Amino acid sequence: MQRRKNSTFEEGKRKNKPNMNNQPQVFDNVMYIVRRIGFLSLYIVVFFMIQGCNDDDDNVVLSNDKQITAFLFEASRNEALDVDIVGILDQNKMTITVTFPFNTNITALKTTIVQSEAASITPSHKIEQNFSNPVTYIVTAEDGTKQTYEVFVKVEEPSNQREFLIAFYNANPDNTLNWDIENKSMNSWEGVSLNDGNVVGLNLINKSLSDIPSSFGNLRHLTTINLNNNNLTYIPAEIGNLTQLTLLNLSENNLTNIPKEIGNLINLKTLNLYSNGLTSIPVEIGNLKNLNVLYLKLNRLNSIPVEIGKLTKLTDLNLSKTSLTNIPAEIGSLTNLTMLSIGYNSNLTSIPSEVGNLIKLTTINAYGSGLTSIPKEMGNLINLTSLSLGSNALASIPAEISNLTKLDYLALTDNNLANIPKAVCDLEANYGTTVLKDAEVNCI
């Protein structure tokens, strides 16, 4: 019986003993479950992380800062500069003002700009800009909003005689002046006369000059200016500041008017406005009490102001080819006049009788005008040596002309004369006067 029991016990043990042959398969199953659980857990973690990030993105606030906080031009980035130039910011007006030293080239400059963090700006500071006119800068904030700034640049005015002349040079980019404006001395500058370091004379003939800047009026030591045969169209009012001028030659230019301030040049002795396009002369010319010579030939003047009668020191007056229709009676006050030219004015039909007061006259040239008569008072001009009346429309000659016994030359050709007084013809025989008349004209 005992053996049976043991047998049964052994059999039970065999039934409960694990089957070692199935162990690897169980292990694999367990690992598979673990991996599945792990992947699922990882997915859940990543999902919540992404969701958390999305929630964070929804809460981010982009900056709207869009200011320029500094604006300058660094010398290290600009060959035209010797020192850094800093702009003045006005955050209320959204403007930037920059002032450069005189004679700075502002047409190609690079900026250095500091703006709000995360903001961008256009145009870029990496490219050169021309600041001759205002430049607009746009600052864009991180949130896309924009702010506009206007940059205004100016260059300091010249402050000394050398700089005044450089401004004149720069105002005429096509000039043919032989000036080395980098040279600190003006001694080698063509046409510039100096006295004790001051500019006293400018003789700049045919130099392709077209502009006189207002700063020119600061050359207050000037006594002579000769700008003959250039392309000037305008004279600034500031020329009236040059009160030490004794000679002003603006002949053969393209001027259409003269500023009234010319009347301030009270020391002027010679004023040459020959061959321009002047249509009028300011009445202030009457202030030039020291004027000796006035050339207005070859302009488009219909008249001259009566104030010309105040120029009592005038000795030479040239009004030829000016389109004059009359000569004011006040010319009779120019008692120091020695030369009077009124020729080639086809609309000028008469000469005022007051011309007879000008007893110092030695020359009258009225050739080629439209004179129909001449006053008998011309017989008072006893110092006259030359009287040209040819190519007019004269129908008679006053007998008083025979009083002009100092005449060397009397031209009467190409008029409407049939006869002239015999006493006038006798000037030739009695005083050696050359009397030119048409062959058909009789002396009676």
Side-chain angles (χ1 to χ4, degrees):
M1 293 297 294
Q2 183 66 36
R3 289 186 62 186
R4 179 66 179 169
K5 182 179 181 180
N6 289 342
S7 176
T8 302
F9 176 78
E10 291 296 333
E11 184 178 351
K13 287 176 62 179
R14 286 195 301 269
K15 290 181 180 179
N16 294 323
K17 183 177 180 180
N19 185 355
M20 298 304 294
N21 294 330
N22 293 333
Q23 187 174 0
Q25 182 176 355
V26 173
F27 179 77
D28 289 342
N29 292 337
V30 172
M31 292 304 296
Y32 172 78
I33 294 171
V34 170
R35 284 196 300 270
R36 295 290 291 179
I37 293 172
F39 283 132
L40 180 60
S41 300
L42 180 60
Y43 173 80
I44 294 171
V45 171
V46 170
F47 172 80
F48 283 108
M49 287 179 65
I50 293 173
Q51 188 64 35
C53 289
N54 289 337
D55 292 342
D56 289 342
D57 287 344
D58 291 341
N59 295 326
V60 170
V61 178
L62 299 178
S63 172
N64 64 356
D65 291 342
K66 44 187 177 292
Q67 280 191 331
I68 292 178
T69 57
F71 191 99
L72 66 153
F73 298 85
E74 295 181 287
S76 60
R77 302 186 66 214
N78 293 281
E79 291 184 3
L81 302 180
D82 295 324
V83 296
D84 294 349
I85 304 296
V86 179
I88 299 175
L89 285 154
D90 187 330
Q91 300 291 6
N92 293 322
K93 297 180 179 179
M94 297 302 170
T95 60
I96 302 168
T97 305
V98 191
T99 302
F100 286 94
F102 168 75
N103 204 36
T104 302
N105 181 2
I106 61 173
T107 62
L109 295 173
K110 289 183 178 180
T111 57
T112 299
I113 306 173
V114 180
Q115 69 267 15
S116 300
E117 187 176 357
S120 61
I121 190 167
T122 56
S124 171
H125 66 89
K126 295 180 181 179
I127 61 175
E128 291 181 339
Q129 289 289 330
N130 183 350
F131 286 91
S132 300
N133 295 305
V135 176
T136 300
Y137 281 83
I138 300 174
V139 184
T140 303
E142 188 180 28
D143 66 357
T145 57
K146 300 178 184 296
Q147 178 62 61
T148 298
Y149 284 81
E150 290 288 331
V151 179
F152 299 92
V153 166
K154 63 179 180 178
V155 178
E156 290 179 341
E157 292 294 321
S159 60
N160 56 59
Q161 293 182 79
R162 177 177 171 274
E163 290 184 354
F164 297 141
L165 285 182
I166 291 175
F168 176 53
Y169 182 96
N170 290 339
N172 294 277
D174 297 324
N175 75 74
T176 58
L177 295 169
N178 186 25
W179 293 359
D180 178 8
I181 61 174
E182 299 300 325
N183 191 331
K184 299 298 182 182
S185 170
M186 294 178 285
N187 292 323
S188 63
W189 292 10
E190 178 185 7
V192 178
S193 298
L194 302 173
N195 184 17
D196 292 332
N198 294 314
V199 179
V200 295
L202 293 175
N203 188 27
L204 308 175
I205 301 172
N206 192 23
K207 296 299 180 183
S208 297
L209 304 172
S210 59
D211 187 27
I212 298 178
S214 59
S215 59
F216 192 87
N218 291 302
L219 296 167
R220 296 175 184 266
H221 295 277
L222 277 172
T223 59
T224 62
I225 296 176
N226 186 353
L227 299 176
N228 165 255
N229 195 20
N230 283 285
N231 304 311
L232 300 172
T233 60
Y234 171 77
I235 301 298
E238 287 77 7
I239 199 167
N241 298 335
L242 309 180
T243 55
Q244 294 191 43
L245 273 182
T246 59
L247 182 149
L248 178 58
N249 185 354
L250 299 172
S251 61
E252 297 183 280
N253 281 280
N254 301 310
L255 301 172
T256 57
N257 63 75
I258 296 295
K260 65 180 182 179
E261 287 78 9
I262 200 167
N264 297 340
L265 308 181
I266 57 175
N267 289 304
L268 204 61
K269 294 183 177 181
T270 299
L271 176 58
N272 188 348
L273 299 172
Y274 162 80
S275 189
N276 278 280
L278 300 174
T279 57
S280 64
I281 299 296
V283 298
E284 287 78 8
I285 197 170
N287 298 336
L288 307 181
K289 302 295 179 61
N290 288 299
L291 201 62
N292 301 139
V293 177
L294 177 59
Y295 289 159
L296 297 174
K297 181 180 178 180
L298 273 172
N299 281 283
R300 300 198 300 270
L301 302 169
N302 292 322
S303 63
I304 53 176
V306 298
E307 286 77 9
I308 197 170
K310 297 179 180 180
L311 308 180
T312 55
K313 291 186 178 181
L314 208 60
T315 60
D316 191 348
L317 176 60
N318 194 326
L319 300 172
S320 296
K321 297 184 179 181
T322 53
S323 302
L324 284 178
T325 58
N326 67 83
I327 296 174
E330 286 76 7
I331 196 172
S333 300
L334 307 181
T335 54
N336 284 298
L337 206 62
T338 60
M339 299 187 70
L340 174 62
S341 296
I342 55 174
Y344 296 98
N345 289 298
S346 59
N347 294 318
L348 182 64
T349 59
S350 65
I351 298 174
S353 60
E354 287 80 3
V355 75
N357 299 335
L358 310 180
I359 58 174
K360 289 186 179 181
L361 272 177
T362 61
T363 301
I364 295 179
N365 181 4
Y367 185 89
S369 290
L371 297 176
T372 58
S373 66
I374 57 173
K376 65 181 183 179
E377 287 80 6
M378 288 183 69
N380 299 336
L381 307 179
I382 57 175
N383 289 300
L384 210 59
T385 60
S386 177
L387 176 58
S388 179
L389 298 172
S391 292
N392 278 276
L394 297 173
S396 64
I397 297 295
E400 287 79 2
I401 295 299
S402 62
N403 296 333
L404 307 180
T405 58
K406 291 184 180 180
L407 273 181
D408 295 324
Y409 177 82
L410 173 61
L412 299 172
T413 54
D414 195 18
N415 277 282
N416 297 328
L417 297 169
N419 305 298
I420 59 175
K422 186 176 184 302
V424 174
C425 292
D426 289 345
L427 287 172
E428 190 164 28
N430 297 333
Y431 300 101
T433 305
T434 298
V435 179
L436 301 179
K437 64 182 181 61
D438 295 326
E440 65 273 16
V441 175
N442 298 312
C443 296
I444 58 174

